[in-house]
Amino acid sequence: MRKLAAGLMLALGLTTAAQAADPVRVGVVISETGPGASLGIPEGRSIRLLPREIEGRPIEWIVLDDGSDTTRAVTNMRKLISDNRVDAIIGSTVTPASIAMVEVAAEQRIPMISLAGSAAIVTPVDERRRWVFKTAQNDALMAGAVVEHMAAAGVKSLGVIAVSDSYGDGWLGIMAPLLEARGIRVVATERYARTDTSATGQTLKVLSARPDAVFIISAGTPAALPAKALRERGYRGPMYQTHGVANADFLRVGGRDVEGTVLPVAPVTVADQLPENHPSRTIARQYRDAYEAAHGANSVSAFGSYAYDAGLLLQRALPVALRTAQPGTPEFRTALRDALEGLRDVTYVNGVANMSATDHVGQDERARVMAIIKDGTWQALPR
Amino acid sequence: MAVDLSILLVLVQDGIVNGAIYGLLALALVIVFTVTRVILVPIGEFVAFGALTLAALETGTLPGTVWLLGILGVASAACRLWASRRHATMRSVAWQIGTSLLLPVVVAGLAWACIHWQAPQLVKVLVALAIVAPMGPYLYDVVYRPMADASVLVLLIVSVALHLALQGLGLVFFGSEGSRTQSLADTTLEIGPLFISGQSIVVVLVTLALIVALFLFFERTLMGRALRATAVNRLGAQLVAISPALCGHVAFTLAASIGALGGILISAMTTIYYDTGFLIALKGFVAAVIGGLVSYPLAAASAILIGLVESFASFHASAFKEVLVFMIIIPVLLWRSWRTPALLDEGEE
């Protein structure tokens, strides 16, 4: 009997020792190839900047590429949950894949932090979405800033050229009520594909409606094509873009033709120009310096910061969850979800996050800065 | 919305310029298909490689395609030497080593010199062509030649696989963001309401010149006739001592050069990404299919038609542009299947 007890004690001791060394595993599903690659690559690089330990507990980041494909994103997520036994999921890069992953998160009861833009991923916070959080600015937050700027600049009629994918659809849906509220009329809405070789037809159609300003909805270098076509056809009026274009490649390809373009950007894009009292000033510059030290000057973009911020949220929530449960258990995943929802005043690269039971992004206007392209650089506009 | 004359002219001009590029690719697809029965899906990658290689040379970085050329060269030399191991002569071995191993080294040297001494634009264009064009025959040696007798379907599947592999390499070499290149002709011609950019004139002129050159090549030269003979009857051509391997080399060299040239021409007018080529090639393919994959004039004419449909669709119904463009193929296929009720099966050829 004593022997048995001793054996039991030993076995128990061994399990607790093993548990103490148990790492927290975080599965990352991002689009490092395919159409979302220009977003997914900096995200992957930023994950590699995150610490591998929190309060003595090792963190394992397991990154899988979904090729911007919805089915592969879901497969990868299931694989991470069943094979790698991860405690949380970060991803995916693009909206369609993220929305599909919401179902898996709810079914497997695992917290997930999406890096995509659309508010539909996290709102409304219902039975499924209570597991889902997000670090990228809601498109509506950015769109609000754009529409405000248009109204202040006296724009009465607007021509829109949007990329024909979910990014374009999402923005068009959000802009419509905002524009109507400000009395701005949309006189032409044209669509073009990311890999189109010409946007002449769309440009002519928009210009023949004689709008006060033109708004181009697209991400990355593809957004330069309609801008260049507009200038080629002699358009000299104001141009707006979305925050999706805020990387150095867009400036390189757009060149002279995108000078004067107004757009909302994430704080990190204009890290050095943030006012002294901006909460993200320090951390945005730290992140930028770390990223650019590894990948070269001017390589930083907002997309990587979303992945970095997702990591920061987890770093704040993990110690809380670790107090109540052990990694690798369903209880831990629930505790982690509750801890994420309970996060208040987390200063990260994209402003300050205040999560609540009804808001799983938690950002305010400190997460956006209006900027203008001047002399081939991003210049923050005074508020 | 009413279309006034000036808008109409601009759309027509835009359609013709884009159609000319599709036409080039359609021609290349027809050449390769008739000679080797390969549907060259990766031609789009040659377009992207051509454009992005030139863009890299312009920004003064050594393009990744130089390394790919070297690796393919070594692989191609190995395949060729192995295939000819029984009847190798000093001359044939020297020729194979020269074209497969020395050529990439020379081209890489040229690329380096081009960056080092800031060569003029035309030289960069030629170097970019020299980097991409030999990939055609090398890929033929490594991928298609060992399975030259496989069915059209198998060859197509291999083409799709090759397309995916090359596209992945494109992402590695050039990154996910696009590039543009400098214009070959900076002047702008003003005719009434039309502003015609020098580049679009270059595109149309080069296309026309190539069509004429190809016509002369196929009609007047021995090599061109050998290619035609192979296209008409492979076995017959072989019996009269026309080497299918040589024909394959010539066809793939032509296709890769035309593809790369198309990419270089269009990259001054639009942004090219590592995956742009596929969609351009697909439109070229639609044109080639309308020409039954055999007729050059029909393919070229339908390419212009596709360009025009695309241009007008992007003005009138931009959201449905791609749908309208690819729908052209349906009535054509219906008409073709009605005209030739008994499908020519592989075995019955």
Side-chain angles (χ1 to χ4, degrees):
Chain A
M1 190 62 207
R2 195 177 290 168
K3 252 186 191 165
L4 187 69
L8 245 155
M9 293 280 279
L10 190 70
L12 223 75
L14 278 176
T15 25
T16 29
Q19 268 171 0
D22 251 3
V24 176
R25 295 193 178 85
V26 181
V28 185
V29 181
I30 44 174
S31 314
E32 287 185 299
T33 57
S38 62
L39 292 59
I41 290 170
E43 286 168 2
R45 288 171 172 174
S46 301
I47 293 288
R48 278 155 210 129
L49 296 177
L50 289 166
R52 310 195 164 271
E53 193 185 88
I54 185 94
E55 296 189 353
R57 175 81 69 161
I59 309 180
E60 260 182 47
W61 308 94
I62 308 162
V63 183
L64 292 184
D65 169 37
D66 64 25
S68 315
D69 177 66
T70 305
T71 317
R72 243 169 88 193
V74 169
T75 316
N76 283 349
M77 182 171 176
R78 289 194 183 279
K79 181 176 176 293
L80 286 167
I81 296 169
S82 62
D83 296 2
N84 302 91
R85 311 209 63 77
V86 295
D87 300 297
I89 291 280
I90 292 179
S92 174
T93 306
V94 290
T95 299
S98 296
I99 287 179
M101 285 163 67
V102 170
E103 304 295 327
V104 188
E107 171 201 313
Q108 300 285 327
R109 307 177 71 75
I110 186 166
M112 159 184 153
I113 306 177
S114 169
L115 310 176
S118 170
I121 300 164
V122 287
T123 44
V125 182
D126 53 15
E127 206 35 52
R128 293 176 303 133
R129 296 196 182 88
R130 61 190 294 267
W131 294 93
V132 185
F133 300 83
K134 195 164 81 77
T135 49
Q137 292 85 349
N138 274 347
D139 289 342
L141 185 75
M142 293 306 212
V146 176
V147 175
E148 263 171 44
H149 189 279
M150 286 175 185
V155 173
K156 292 271 176 278
S157 61
L158 185 69
V160 182
I161 304 179
V163 68
S164 54
D165 60 16
S166 60
Y167 189 76
D169 287 338
W171 267 86
L172 286 174
I174 289 161
M175 289 293 285
L178 292 173
L179 288 169
E180 209 181 289
R182 292 282 186 165
I184 300 173
R185 220 155 35 87
V186 178
V187 289
T189 306
E190 294 301 309
R191 308 300 296 268
Y192 78 107
R194 193 180 72 90
T195 48
D196 270 1
T197 48
S198 158
T200 308
Q202 292 91 328
T203 308
L204 287 172
K205 186 80 173 276
V206 165
L207 291 185
S208 61
R210 308 205 169 279
D212 292 342
V214 179
F215 184 34
I216 296 167
I217 302 173
S218 187
T221 38
L225 176 67
K228 286 182 104 72
L230 281 168
R231 293 286 187 238
E232 225 166 75
R233 293 286 148 219
Y235 177 70
R236 293 281 167 271
M239 266 202 273
Y240 290 87
Q241 292 265 6
T242 67
H243 60 296
V245 304
N247 66 24
D249 291 298
F250 174 74
L251 294 178
R252 169 176 60 82
V253 172
R256 257 182 334 204
D257 293 328
V258 298
E259 278 289 307
T261 302
V262 175
L263 72 167
V265 295
V268 69
T269 310
V270 287
D272 284 328
Q273 303 163 40
L274 292 174
E276 290 292 341
N277 60 357
H278 194 287
S280 294
R281 189 179 152 89
T282 315
I283 188 157
R285 290 167 66 164
Q286 273 170 6
Y287 164 71
R288 188 215 40 207
D289 292 343
Y291 190 96
E292 295 194 341
H295 303 290
N298 290 326
S299 59
V300 82
S301 72
F303 307 113
S305 75
Y306 301 146
Y308 193 74
D309 280 352
L312 292 183
L313 288 182
L314 280 177
Q315 278 177 56
R316 284 285 291 272
L318 279 173
V320 182
L322 281 168
R323 261 173 246 141
T324 53
Q326 283 302 319
T329 62
E331 294 77 38
F332 182 74
R333 306 214 289 249
T334 310
L336 186 58
R337 189 215 79 87
D338 295 343
L340 280 168
E341 195 174 86
L343 290 178
R344 301 279 182 277
D345 284 322
V346 181
T347 302
Y348 57 13
V349 182
N350 289 289
V352 179
N354 279 296
M355 301 290 180
S356 74
T358 52
D359 185 359
H360 278 191
V361 186
Q363 290 169 339
D364 50 29
E365 68 286 349
R366 286 174 289 185
R368 68 182 191 204
V369 181
M370 284 307 284
I372 186 167
I373 298 172
K374 217 170 144 193
D375 304 329
T377 58
W378 317 101
Q379 299 288 328
L381 286 172
R383 276 169 199 268
Chain B
M1 190 160 300
V3 179
D4 60 32
L5 186 67
S6 63
I7 289 183
L8 189 83
L9 285 174
V10 175
L11 289 177
V12 168
Q13 182 216 343
D14 193 51
I16 289 177
V17 172
N18 275 321
I21 300 285
Y22 303 150
L24 281 179
L25 297 187
L27 293 183
L29 285 167
V30 172
I31 292 172
V32 170
F33 182 76
T34 50
V35 175
T36 64
R37 296 177 309 133
V38 170
I39 292 174
L40 193 63
V41 186
I43 188 139
E45 273 56 60
F46 294 131
V47 174
F49 283 5
L52 294 172
T53 301
L54 179 61
L57 290 177
E58 280 179 6
T59 52
T61 46
L62 198 64
T65 36
V66 170
W67 303 110
L68 180 64
L69 183 70
I71 293 165
L72 285 176
V74 172
S76 136
C79 288
R80 289 168 76 184
L81 290 171
W82 177 254
S84 64
R85 65 194 180 280
R86 291 191 207 291
H87 42 83
T89 58
M90 277 306 282
R91 230 179 113 219
S92 77
V93 171
W95 169 247
Q96 282 161 1
I97 288 180
T99 49
S100 289
L101 291 179
L102 285 183
L103 185 68
V105 176
V106 173
V107 170
L110 282 176
W112 181 82
C114 191
I115 294 165
H116 199 69
W117 283 294
Q118 275 305 317
Q121 181 70 0
L122 197 64
V123 176
K124 285 180 191 154
V125 169
L126 292 176
V127 170
L129 274 176
I131 293 174
V132 180
M135 287 184 194
Y138 292 171
L139 285 171
Y140 174 75
D141 283 328
V142 176
V143 179
Y144 293 107
R145 194 173 159 193
M147 50 182 300
D149 295 322
S151 70
V152 170
L153 182 64
V154 171
L155 291 171
L156 173 65
I157 293 170
V158 168
S159 288
V160 172
L162 189 60
H163 150 69
L164 291 173
L166 288 179
Q167 193 172 71
L169 286 173
L171 177 61
V172 173
F173 295 152
F174 304 109
S176 56
E177 293 291 5
S179 290
R180 276 176 181 244
T181 59
Q182 286 161 23
S183 185
L184 293 172
D186 263 331
T187 50
T188 308
L189 224 67
E190 203 180 328
I191 306 172
L194 263 186
F195 289 95
I196 303 177
S197 72
Q199 184 71 19
S200 54
I201 297 171
V202 171
V203 170
V204 174
L205 285 183
V206 168
T207 307
L208 286 177
L210 255 176
I211 291 175
V212 172
L214 284 174
F215 174 79
L216 291 177
F217 172 71
F218 282 112
E219 292 293 323
R220 298 286 158 84
T221 65
L222 189 63
M223 193 62 235
R225 288 177 187 186
L227 283 183
R228 275 171 63 206
T230 314
V232 173
N233 187 325
R234 200 176 327 274
L235 186 66
Q238 230 168 321
L239 288 175
V240 293
I242 295 172
S243 156
L246 182 62
C247 289
H249 275 152
V250 175
F252 269 75
T253 310
L254 281 174
S257 318
I258 293 174
L261 186 65
I264 287 167
L265 286 175
I266 204 169
S267 62
M269 301 186 295
T270 186
T271 323
I272 299 286
Y273 312 89
Y274 73 98
D275 60 348
T276 308
F278 179 64
L279 213 59
I280 302 179
L282 206 56
K283 285 169 189 158
F285 179 68
V286 171
V289 167
I290 295 177
L293 278 171
V294 284
S295 165
Y296 295 101
L298 214 56
S302 32
I304 298 293
L305 175 75
I306 288 171
L308 288 173
V309 168
E310 192 182 19
S311 166
F312 279 88
S314 69
F315 181 81
H316 286 290
S318 57
F320 302 105
K321 192 194 79 183
E322 267 3 338
V323 182
L324 291 172
V325 168
F326 289 116
M327 249 169 38
I328 301 177
I329 204 171
I330 295 175
V332 172
L333 288 180
L334 279 177
W335 182 73
R336 281 202 166 273
S337 64
W338 173 71
R339 274 285 304 276
T340 45
L343 276 174
L344 272 181
D345 207 54
E346 279 286 298
E348 296 165 26
E349 248 178 348

